[in-house]
């Protein structure tokens, strides 16, 4: 049975003077899903979110919620609510009054308000704190209260404008999990904007990667990570090593690529539109690279380098290796195995990876 589409955008565009903030955006967001818009600062994320909320009118295109156009519908009449980065809780009100604020504006009865506030506080895991001052809450608790204040109004769509941006790292990691749990518990449709790829990848059912006002690619976190469709997505989502190279030949959808390091890689999946001899950028993830001592026999698709830095990071370590021919620096991600512990700064190593782990794009496709 197909999913019900809660929110649909058709060819949305917005321009400020000569600046094109949003360019021809279209998407369909299923009911009860977590949809993230991921991109660098200035790519148009906030402008798009403000159009969804009704704070900005698009120059062209349409927004529909459950099939009903939102054209000329003011923000307070739209079935959406918004959580801002700075939360905007009222310090002069206690927790219960903050959560109940929207219900009071709708003139809901006092008994009904008390019941619904108690219910929503229970569901977000903070029962019995209605009488507390918001100043007594931790950062994570304030986040949940800000979300509860929106969810108690039962919006069709909850818009979240980088709500974790002001939190410290440990709390931000915790709240990523809590936000996903809340979204699933309430069955709400979340539209979340962020420049932090970890937030988008961990929480989302679907991620739209935005760049220069456009959606470069839209799909599951796994699809974006393992099958990027543009060089921008390959470089922005997750960490990647990038090599400049040239197509040496193409046969049945795979190519041989000669990199700037002099390495000839075979069997790389490519778009047939790439011409032989064309300049390309080749991307490979740090965890896809294998290290072997330089004294070992060199396998095909191998380059040599020298260990510059070893960065410990809990269960993994990030090894920075300087490639011997060009001096370019590569990142390698390794688990803390016994073999890894023998690697020392200054060691000479062979680096190799499976050709199928590479992604190749035309050189001018890099944003």
């Amino acid at each position: 049975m197909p999913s019900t589409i809660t929110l649909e955008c058709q060819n949305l565009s917005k321009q400020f003077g000569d600046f094109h903030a949003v360019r021809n955006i279209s998407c369909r967001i299923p009911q009860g899903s977590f949809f993230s818009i991921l991109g660098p600062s200035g790519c148009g994320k906030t402008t798009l979110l403000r159009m969804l909320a009704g704070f900005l009118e698009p120059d062209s295109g349409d927004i529909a919620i459950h099939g009903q156009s939102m054209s000329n519908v003011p923000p307070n009449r739209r079935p959406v609510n918004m959580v801002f980065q700075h939360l905007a809780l009222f310090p002069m009100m206690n927790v219960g009054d903050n959560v109940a604020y929207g219900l009071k504006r709708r003139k809901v009865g006092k008994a009904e308000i008390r019941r619904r506030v108690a219910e929503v506080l229970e569901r977000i895991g903070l029962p019995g704190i209605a009488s507390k001052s918001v100043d007594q809450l931790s950062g994570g608790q304030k986040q949940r209260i800000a979300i509860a204040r929106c969810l108690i109004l039962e919006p069709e769509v909850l818009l979240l404008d980088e709500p974790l941006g002001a939190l410290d790292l440990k709390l931000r990691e915790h709240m990523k999990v809590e936000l996903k749990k809340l979204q699933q518990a309430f069955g709400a449709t979340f539209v979340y904007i962020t420049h932090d790829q970890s937030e988008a990848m961990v929480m989302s059912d679907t991620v739209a990667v935005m760049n220069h006002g456009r959606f470069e690619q839209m799909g599951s976190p796994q699809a974006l990570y393992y099958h990027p469709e543009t060089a921008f997505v390959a470089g922005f989502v997750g960490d990647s090593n990038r090599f400049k190279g040239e197509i040496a030949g193409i046969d049945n959808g795979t190519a041989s690529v000669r990199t700037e390091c002099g390495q000839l890689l075979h069997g790389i999946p490519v778009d047939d539109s790439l011409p032989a001899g064309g300049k390309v950028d080749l991307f490979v993830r740090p965890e896809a690279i294998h290290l072997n001592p330089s004294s070992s026999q060199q396998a095909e698709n191998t380059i040599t380098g020298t260990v510059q830095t070893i960065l410990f990071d809990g269960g993994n370590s990030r090894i920075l290796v300087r490639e011997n021919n060009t001096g370019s620096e590569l990142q390698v991600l390794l688990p803390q195995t016994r073999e890894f512990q023998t690697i020392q700064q200054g060691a000479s190593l062979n680096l190799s990876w499976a050709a199928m782990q590479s992604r190749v794009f035309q050189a001018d496709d890099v944003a």
Side-chain angles (χ1 to χ4, degrees):
M1 183 175 178
S3 300
T4 301
I5 299 301
T6 296
L7 175 64
E8 184 171 8
C9 300
Q10 296 181 332
N11 304 316
L12 282 183
S13 293
K14 184 66 179 179
Q15 189 170 338
F16 300 100
D18 295 330
F19 177 65
H20 293 267
V22 173
R23 302 169 184 253
N24 202 36
I25 291 288
S26 295
C27 62
R28 302 176 81 232
I29 303 175
Q31 183 174 327
S33 66
F34 199 123
F35 184 91
S36 288
I37 302 166
L38 171 67
S41 297
C43 73
K45 303 186 301 294
T46 297
T47 298
L48 176 56
L49 202 72
R50 288 175 64 82
M51 285 194 289
L52 298 180
F55 301 140
L56 285 174
E57 283 293 322
D59 295 332
S60 60
D62 191 30
I63 298 162
I65 297 178
H66 284 306
Q68 181 180 351
S69 174
M70 294 292 106
S71 294
N72 302 316
V73 178
N76 63 329
R77 297 290 184 183
R78 297 191 180 196
V80 304
N81 219 318
M82 192 162 178
V83 180
F84 297 93
Q85 180 174 348
H86 298 293
L87 305 182
L89 294 176
F90 301 114
M92 74 291 295
M93 296 181 185
N94 63 24
V95 168
D97 288 339
N98 266 280
V99 174
Y101 181 75
L103 295 179
K104 291 179 178 178
R105 287 179 62 90
R106 292 182 179 181
K107 302 189 185 306
V108 175
K110 290 182 179 180
E112 176 68 5
I113 287 176
R114 284 195 299 271
R115 183 188 69 78
R116 289 173 64 175
V117 168
E119 181 182 89
V120 78
L121 289 177
E122 179 78 32
R123 292 183 71 183
I124 67 168
L126 295 173
I129 70 163
S131 61
K132 273 194 173 184
S133 165
V134 293
D135 292 333
Q136 295 177 275
L137 304 181
S138 68
Q141 289 173 330
K142 289 178 181 178
Q143 289 284 345
R144 281 187 277 176
I145 294 303
I147 292 167
R149 184 176 61 183
C150 295
L151 290 176
I152 201 171
L153 298 174
E154 300 178 342
E156 296 291 346
V157 181
L158 185 62
L159 308 174
L160 300 103
D161 184 6
E162 304 204 50
L164 306 186
L167 302 181
D168 63 63
L169 178 60
K170 190 173 182 65
L171 183 54
R172 193 159 63 243
E173 292 297 311
H174 172 72
M175 283 305 300
K176 285 190 293 190
V177 178
E178 290 300 311
L179 265 180
K180 183 62 177 177
K181 286 181 179 177
L182 286 174
Q183 184 265 328
Q184 291 175 328
F186 281 85
T189 303
F190 278 23
V191 178
Y192 187 97
I193 68 168
T194 182
H195 64 274
D196 186 322
Q197 46 141 330
S198 174
E199 291 180 10
M201 300 294 274
V202 167
M203 296 186 289
S204 309
D205 301 306
T206 304
V207 180
V209 180
M210 194 169 185
N211 185 36
H212 296 313
R214 295 187 176 93
F215 283 174
E216 292 252 343
Q217 185 175 346
M218 188 162 51
S220 69
Q222 295 87 345
L224 296 176
Y225 191 83
Y226 292 111
H227 304 288
E229 295 176 357
T230 69
F232 178 81
V233 175
F236 190 77
V237 177
D239 293 322
S240 283
N241 294 295
R242 187 172 75 192
F243 300 85
K244 293 191 177 301
E246 180 179 290
I247 299 288
I250 297 179
D251 182 30
N252 292 326
T254 64
S256 297
V257 176
R258 187 173 302 281
T259 72
E260 60 188 336
C261 308
Q263 179 188 37
L264 184 63
L265 298 167
H266 301 286
I268 298 173
V270 295
D271 186 328
D272 288 336
S273 65
L274 290 176
K279 301 295 183 182
V280 294
D281 284 281
L282 182 147
F283 294 82
V284 60
R285 301 290 185 189
E287 67 271 19
I289 298 179
H290 304 286
L291 298 184
N292 299 293
S294 61
S295 58
S296 65
Q297 184 177 0
Q298 284 197 16
E300 190 176 30
N301 297 345
T302 298
I303 60 178
T304 58
T306 303
V307 176
Q308 299 297 303
T309 307
I310 301 173
L311 304 172
F312 177 79
D313 186 21
N316 297 292
S317 278
R318 193 171 298 272
I319 317 300
L320 305 184
V321 180
R322 189 170 300 282
E323 193 275 322
N324 289 344
N325 289 339
T326 64
S328 58
E329 190 172 78
L330 310 177
Q331 296 187 58
V332 183
L333 194 65
L334 294 178
Q336 309 290 9
T337 61
R338 183 171 298 177
E339 289 76 14
F340 158 74
Q341 292 170 12
T342 64
I343 296 173
Q344 301 293 327
Q345 186 174 357
S348 183
L349 299 169
N350 292 328
L351 295 82
S352 63
W353 62 90
M356 293 297 290
Q357 298 278 3
S358 305
R359 293 292 177 266
V360 171
F361 304 94
Q362 281 186 284
D364 61 359
D365 194 23
V366 181

